[in-house]
């Protein structure tokens, strides 16, 4: 069974009397352990699709099934709890809470879940060491570079062992060196820990790292290739 | 909750300057309002103290006496009855008085006076009248002379050892008339009283007014001046309808009135103060919410419920207010304590007007713990109010919009 099962999904954005079919009848399955990129021109609907998959937004039609459960049928409270327990998120920027240290940021979702302090602290420390930030445990995001911040965000997204991690243009604000580092890290975590990653990008160098590339255009899947 | 509390606490430290402004404005409002009110309340305490020295905490009269103060509405007085009252719970002194107006004549002049028949020992224990003695000696229960206010004696051109002639109306249309040697003089603070008071032992006054075994009032003093109402009700119930029992509040309506005026002024002033400062605080909390839309969106995305975000804002707002209250109280408490221990003496006209009322001429801040609690609660209530609009903003927050 795929981790993510999307059936005939559509989303209509209505604004100023105009409506946009941002996602238009998409069928898609993502399996466990995938490392998949969604690419497409600006305005093609990548963010809208990822928001629907992540339960941040609700479909206008069709279904998103995560582990067999339909996101669209949940109440807002249920969806929020579902996101907390089953999905990891990396956003383009300002992911981290500025008043918490790197360690506390990585612990945050686990603490929200009520995990015991020693468990979550060990897990967060291990992850930060693994991503090469073992010396930055008690540093706040403001004192970290953009690339370091995104790595902490990746660590936070997967610390609570979600079913998959969604990353909407995680490298959009990074220079090429940091972009390459982040991608290497994600790939490594995918290989070693079996974390399922679904990310969007504009960047062809990022695209190249993906093992499956879905090209999105006008709210529809134009091509879907394994590489 | 712990997690949110820690987050809230850190968020307050985030915009340090803004938080400091909010905290100091709260502290300032508390310091000003508490000091002002403490001054007013301290002043009442003095007025009440001086007032009750004159009228006692409670008075018992024959029903209806107080409105007319007629010599014909007296009540029976007996040592047994006084003793019985004195033994009731919460009562420290019972003073019997027989008072009425009369005319006093000296060599050439005559003047309207107030004749006070008192129980010298007990009265002195309460009002320390003998402490005001300026000439001669104080009266005793068996004395046949009187003590006169100094101003009155001067007006009548009488001295210690001279005789004063008193004429007036006695009980039940008897004529009251008598000649009394002046045994001593007292200097009274209130100029009006200093020109009008004559004191004699109660038995002598009863004889003068043909009112044997009668008194116009019993003055009661209580262990706790705040317990007037329950004690009044208890005594009224035992004595029955033939008597009226009145509290100092009813006996001295002017204190209540000036209290009411002061309270109104204070309420207006402090409302303005809290309104201005409240606006600032409401603005601060609103800013704290508006500038963090994206952060709240991300928090929601990674699993914080809206209710938790609302709680976070409430915690931040209350913490901010709480810190302000702590700082404000930390400033106000020592100030009030110091000013309570070191009253400022009043000189000149204002000092004189205090003395005229028999009030010690000082500005002394009262020490009222409830005031600190009240003002602190008002600030926290404002901080609660300040979260209302932010609550609405969070409710309408759409995660997908907020994280854009
Ligand atoms: N909240 C909204 N209201 C109205 N229209 C919207 C809204 N969000 C997105 N759209 C529209 O839907 C379409 C898809 O937008 P979306 O943000 O999903 O594209 P994208 O592929 O992520 O673009 P980019 O690469 O610029 O991030 C666009 O035409 C956009 O203008
Ligand atoms: Mg996008």
């Amino acid at each position: 069974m795929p981790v993510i099962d999307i059936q005939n999904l559509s989303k209509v954005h209505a604004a100023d009397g105009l409506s946009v079919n941002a996602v238009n009848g998409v069928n898609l399955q993502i399996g466990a352990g995938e490392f998949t990129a969604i690419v497409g021109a600006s305005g093609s609907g990548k963010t809208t699709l990822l928001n629907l998959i992540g339960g941040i937004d609700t479909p206008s039609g069709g279904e998103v099934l995560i582990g067999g459960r339909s996101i669209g049928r949940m109440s807002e409270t249920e969806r929020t709890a579902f996101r907390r327990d089953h999905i990891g998120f990396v956003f383009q920027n300002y992911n981290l809470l500025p008043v918490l240290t790197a360690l506390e940021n990585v612990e945050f979702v686990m603490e929200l879940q009520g995990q015991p302090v020693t468990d979550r602290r060990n897990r967060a420390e291990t992850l930060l060491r693994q991503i090469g930030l073992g010396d930055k445990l008690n540093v706040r995001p403001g004192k970290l570079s953009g690339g370091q911040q995104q790595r902490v965000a990746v660590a936070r997204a997967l610390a609570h062992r979600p079913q998959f991690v969604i990353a909407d243009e995680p490298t959009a604000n990074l220079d090429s060196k940091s972009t390459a580092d982040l991608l290497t890290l994600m790939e490594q975590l995918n290989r070693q820990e079996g974390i399922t990653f679904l990310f969007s990008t504009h960047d062809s160098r990022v695209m190249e790292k993906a093992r499956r590339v879905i090209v999105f255009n006008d709210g529809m899947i134009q091509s879907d290739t394994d590489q | 909750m712990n997690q949110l509390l820690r987050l809230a606490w850190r968020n307050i430290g985030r915009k340090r300057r803004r938080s400091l402004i909010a905290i100091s404005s709260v502290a300032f409002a508390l310091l000003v309002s508490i000091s002002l009110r403490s001054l007013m309340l301290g002043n009442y305490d003095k007025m009440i103290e001086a007032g009750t020295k004159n009228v006692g905490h409670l008075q018992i009269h024959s029903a209806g006496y107080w409105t007319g103060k007629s010599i014909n509405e007296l009540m029976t007085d007996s040592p047994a009855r006084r003793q019985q009252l004195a033994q009731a719970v919460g009562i420290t002194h019972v003073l019997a008085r027989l008072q009425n107006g009369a005319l006093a004549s000296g060599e050439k002049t005559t003047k309207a006076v107030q004749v006070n028949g008192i129980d010298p020992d007990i009265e002195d224990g309460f009002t320390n009248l003998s402490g005001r003695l300026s000439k001669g000696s104080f009266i005793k229960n068996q004395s046949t002379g009187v003590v006169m206010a100094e101003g009155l004696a001067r007006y009548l051109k009488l001295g210690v050892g001279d005789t004063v002639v008193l004429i007036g109306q006695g009980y039940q249309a008897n004529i009251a008339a008598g000649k009394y040697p002046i045994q001593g003089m007292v200097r009274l603070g209130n100029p009006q009283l200093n020109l009008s008071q004559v004191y004699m032992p109660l038995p002598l006054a009863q004889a003068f007014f043909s009112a044997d075994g009668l008194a116009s009032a019993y003055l009661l003093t209580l262990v706790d001046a705040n317990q007037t109402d329950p004690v009044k009700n208890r005594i009224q119930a035992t004595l029955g309808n033939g008597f009226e029992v009145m509290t100092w509040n009813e006996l001295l309506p002017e204190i209540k009135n000036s209290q009411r005026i002061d309270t109104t002024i204070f309420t207006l002033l402090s409302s303005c103060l809290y309104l201005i400062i409240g606006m600032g605080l409401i603005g601060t909390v609103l800013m704290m919410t508006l500038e963090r839309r994206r952060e709240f969106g991300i928090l929601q995305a990674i699993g914080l419920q809206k209710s938790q975000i609302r709680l976070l804002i409430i915690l931040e707002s209350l913490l901010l207010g709480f810190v302000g209250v702590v700082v404000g109280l930390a400033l106000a408490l020592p100030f009030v304590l110091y000013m309570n221990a070191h009253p400022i003496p009043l000189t000149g006209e204002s000092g004189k007007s205090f003395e005229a009322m028999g009030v010690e001429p000082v500005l002394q801040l009262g020490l009222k713990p409830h005031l600190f609690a009240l003002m602190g609660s008002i600030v926290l209530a404002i901080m609660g109010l300040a979260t209302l609009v932010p609550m609405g903003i969070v409710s309408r927050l759409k995660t997908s919009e907020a994280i854009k």
Side-chain angles (χ1 to χ4, degrees):
Chain A
M1 189 170 76
V3 182
I4 303 166
D5 186 2
I6 295 168
Q7 294 167 3
N8 200 21
L9 184 67
S10 64
K11 177 70 185 180
V12 181
H13 286 303
D16 311 324
L18 259 113
S19 57
V20 182
N21 281 326
V23 172
N24 203 350
V26 169
N27 289 292
L28 177 67
Q29 280 76 39
I30 306 284
E34 283 195 21
F35 196 66
T36 299
I38 297 182
V39 301
S42 182
S44 58
K46 305 180 293 292
T47 297
T48 305
L49 178 67
L50 290 182
N51 282 348
L52 290 170
I53 295 172
I56 283 172
D57 218 341
T58 47
S60 310
E63 291 228 72
V64 177
L65 299 166
I66 311 284
R69 291 191 60 191
S70 169
I71 286 234
R73 301 227 180 101
M74 295 178 191
S75 70
E76 187 178 349
T77 307
E78 287 170 337
R79 258 190 298 127
T80 305
F82 189 85
R83 289 196 299 268
R84 179 193 68 200
D85 293 337
H86 300 288
I87 308 174
F89 291 94
V90 180
F91 300 100
Q92 194 171 323
N93 50 19
Y94 306 118
N95 266 295
L96 304 173
L97 286 169
V99 293
L100 299 184
T101 64
L103 188 69
E104 289 166 338
N105 265 292
V106 177
E107 274 185 63
F108 192 83
V109 179
M110 294 186 284
E111 197 175 352
L112 214 51
Q113 290 176 328
Q115 288 193 26
V117 60
T118 43
D119 290 9
R120 62 175 200 249
R121 185 136 308 160
N122 285 339
R123 169 81 173 149
E125 273 187 38
T126 310
L127 275 172
L128 283 167
R129 296 230 159 76
Q130 202 176 339
I131 64 173
L133 292 173
D135 57 338
K136 306 279 188 196
L137 298 182
N138 298 313
V139 171
R140 292 196 184 184
K143 297 242 164 74
L144 296 175
S145 72
Q148 289 170 329
Q149 286 183 33
Q150 286 306 72
R151 275 147 71 189
V152 175
V154 168
R156 183 194 61 195
L158 53 84
H160 59 296
R161 299 190 166 84
Q163 298 194 25
F164 57 92
V165 172
I166 289 180
D168 191 9
E169 310 213 30
T171 60
N173 289 323
L174 300 183
D175 58 38
S176 53
K177 166 84 169 53
S178 303
T179 298
D181 286 352
L182 192 72
L183 256 293
T184 309
L185 173 70
M186 284 163 60
E187 210 182 2
Q188 205 183 332
L189 288 164
N190 170 261
R191 265 190 229 289
Q192 290 170 0
E193 308 226 342
I195 310 280
T196 308
F197 275 97
L198 181 59
F199 54 94
S200 71
T201 186
H202 272 117
D203 191 330
S204 54
R205 285 165 306 176
V206 173
M207 206 190 321
E208 281 163 17
K209 296 267 189 175
R211 285 201 300 280
R212 179 181 173 190
V213 176
I214 296 164
V215 178
F216 217 58
N217 188 19
D218 267 347
M220 290 184 278
I221 296 177
Q222 196 174 52
S223 70
D224 182 349
T225 44
D226 290 335
Q227 59 185 34
Chain B
M1 181 77 180
N2 261 347
Q3 189 179 10
L4 293 183
L5 198 59
R6 186 182 58 204
L7 199 56
W9 180 248
R10 300 240 186 120
N11 278 329
I12 285 180
R14 199 152 148 187
K15 296 264 158 118
R16 212 149 273 164
R17 183 196 301 248
R18 190 170 65 195
S19 295
L20 279 178
I21 290 172
I23 288 165
S24 20
S25 69
V26 167
F28 172 77
L30 280 179
L31 181 63
V32 169
S33 58
I34 289 177
S35 304
L36 182 62
R37 192 61 176 157
S38 296
L39 181 62
M40 289 177 168
L41 295 178
N43 201 12
Y44 296 142
D45 283 351
K46 293 226 163 313
M47 283 169 68
I48 290 166
E49 200 189 314
T52 52
K53 270 259 177 302
N54 270 326
V55 302
H57 293 129
L58 288 178
Q59 279 194 19
I60 301 172
H61 319 121
S62 174
Y65 169 78
W66 190 252
T67 36
K69 298 197 181 71
S70 157
I71 185 73
N72 290 322
E73 291 183 80
L74 300 180
M75 58 180 188
T76 48
D77 161 56
S78 69
R81 166 167 284 163
R82 280 185 239 163
Q83 186 130 29
Q84 194 187 344
L85 283 168
Q87 276 160 0
V89 183
I91 294 173
T92 51
H93 291 93
V94 177
L95 279 69
R97 281 184 185 174
L98 175 57
Q99 296 172 304
N100 198 26
L103 289 173
S105 305
E107 303 261 312
K108 290 185 182 112
T109 40
T110 297
K111 194 177 177 309
V113 301
Q114 166 93 349
V115 174
N116 301 281
I118 60 172
D119 187 336
D121 291 338
I122 302 182
E123 181 92 18
D124 197 36
F126 174 55
T127 57
N128 189 26
L129 192 58
S130 67
R132 297 179 171 272
L133 205 65
S134 58
K135 270 183 206 136
S137 61
F138 198 62
I139 45 173
K140 298 209 165 34
N141 210 26
Q142 309 78 21
S143 302
T144 51
V146 300
V147 163
M148 186 174 273
E150 206 181 51
L152 176 61
R154 200 178 306 127
Y155 183 87
L156 296 174
K157 299 203 169 63
L158 293 173
V160 172
D162 293 345
T163 300
V164 61
V165 178
L166 296 174
I167 303 175
Q169 192 201 340
Y171 185 55
Q172 291 182 337
N174 281 303
I175 286 179
K179 290 205 278 185
Y180 301 95
I182 297 172
Q183 202 174 310
M185 285 185 201
V186 286
R187 181 184 295 139
L188 302 178
N190 182 325
Q192 211 131 26
L193 296 178
N194 203 35
L195 272 173
S196 60
Q197 302 297 301
V198 176
Y199 300 92
M200 60 173 75
L202 184 61
L204 201 61
Q206 286 172 333
F208 173 63
F209 288 119
S210 313
D212 277 343
L214 297 171
S216 44
Y218 283 157
L219 276 68
L220 309 184
T221 59
L222 305 187
V223 178
D224 181 356
N226 294 317
Q227 291 300 308
T228 47
D229 286 339
V231 178
K232 165 187 160 157
N233 293 337
R234 222 164 45 224
I235 295 176
Q236 183 75 71
T238 16
L239 291 179
N241 283 339
F243 296 85
E244 64 187 14
V245 183
M246 299 175 74
T247 64
W248 60 264
N249 247 331
E250 298 163 318
L251 297 163
L252 300 166
E254 62 277 8
I255 292 187
K256 252 270 129 59
N257 284 341
S258 79
Q259 220 164 8
R260 201 169 296 138
I261 293 168
D262 276 9
T263 303
T264 310
I265 292 172
F266 174 74
T267 309
L268 281 177
L269 278 179
S270 56
S271 301
C272 287
L273 184 65
Y274 282 109
L275 197 70
I276 293 167
I277 281 165
M279 300 281 232
L281 295 173
I282 287 169
T284 303
V285 177
L286 190 59
M287 286 294 290
M288 273 163 53
T289 311
L290 287 178
E291 70 195 8
R292 278 156 67 201
R293 273 175 57 90
R294 190 184 147 82
E295 184 176 314
F296 291 148
I298 286 180
L299 281 173
Q300 248 180 294
I302 67 175
L304 222 67
Q305 296 288 355
K306 274 192 168 153
S307 56
Q308 291 173 301
I309 294 175
R310 280 192 216 108
L311 182 59
L312 179 68
I313 294 173
I314 291 172
L315 287 175
E316 287 177 13
S317 179
L318 289 183
L319 268 180
L320 197 59
F322 183 75
V323 175
V325 168
V326 168
V327 174
L329 295 188
L331 294 174
L333 188 62
F335 178 70
V336 173
L337 276 174
Y338 182 86
M339 296 300 288
N340 178 262
H342 303 86
I344 302 172
L346 279 178
T347 50
E349 284 305 307
S350 50
K352 286 213 184 83
S353 72
F354 269 56
E355 272 182 325
M357 291 187 291
V359 179
E360 195 188 347
V362 292
L363 286 182
Q364 183 176 25
L365 268 56
L367 206 54
K368 307 284 169 182
H370 79 269
L371 190 57
F372 292 77
L374 176 69
M375 294 300 152
S377 316
I378 289 176
V379 169
L380 294 184
I382 291 174
M383 297 315 287
L385 275 181
T387 61
L388 282 183
V389 175
M391 294 297 99
I393 292 174
V394 170
S395 293
R396 282 191 301 274
L397 198 69
K398 209 168 163 256
T399 316
S400 56
E401 300 286 336
I403 59 176
K404 259 191 204 157

